[in-house]
C-alpha cells in the first residue's frame, strides 16, 4: 500500500490526473484495514493490470527523461 501512496504522491503535479487516481484507488483497494474479498481470478486480473500500468509508467518516465537529457 505504501508503494501506491508514494506513486500517487509523485504524480500529484502532473497535468493528467489519471495515473494519480489509479495509484490512489490501488492504495485504497489493498489497504490493510478493510478486507475486500474478491475472487482469486479477479485478484489475478488486477495484478496483471497493475503490472502493465507499472511497466507503462516506467517506460513513459524513462522516455521523457531521455528526451529532456538529450539521450
Amino acid at each position: 500500500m505504501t508503494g501506491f501512496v508514494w506513486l500517487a504522491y509523485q504524480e500529484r503535479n502532473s497535468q493528467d490526473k489519471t495515473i494519480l487516481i489509479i495509484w490512489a484507488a490501488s492504495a485504497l483497494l489493498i489497504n490493510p484495514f478493510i478486507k475486500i474479498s474478491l475472487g482469486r481470478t479477479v485478484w489475478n486480473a488486477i495484478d496483471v493490470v497493475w503490472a502493465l500500468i507499472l511497466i507503462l509508467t516506467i517506460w513513459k518516465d524513462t522516455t521523457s527523461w531521455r528526451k529532456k537529457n538529450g539521450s
Side-chain angles (χ1 to χ4, degrees):
M1 180 178 108
T2 305
F4 287 125
V5 171
W6 183 79
L7 288 168
Y9 180 77
Q10 293 295 316
E11 291 290 331
R12 75 192 182 284
N13 293 327
S14 69
Q15 295 292 331
D16 185 13
K17 300 296 183 190
T18 306
I19 297 296
L20 173 104
I21 293 168
I22 290 171
W23 295 144
S26 298
L28 291 173
L29 184 63
I30 63 166
N31 76 74
F33 307 111
I34 301 170
K35 183 177 179 180
I36 299 174
S37 287
L38 300 174
R40 177 177 281 233
T41 305
V42 174
W43 278 115
N44 286 342
I46 290 171
D47 287 342
V48 169
V49 170
W50 276 333
L52 290 173
I53 293 171
L54 283 167
I55 290 168
L56 290 173
T57 302
I58 291 168
W59 178 75
K60 179 190 82 160
D61 290 347
T62 302
T63 303
S64 66
W65 181 83
R66 284 183 181 169
K67 286 181 182 177
K68 282 182 184 178
N69 294 321
S71 298

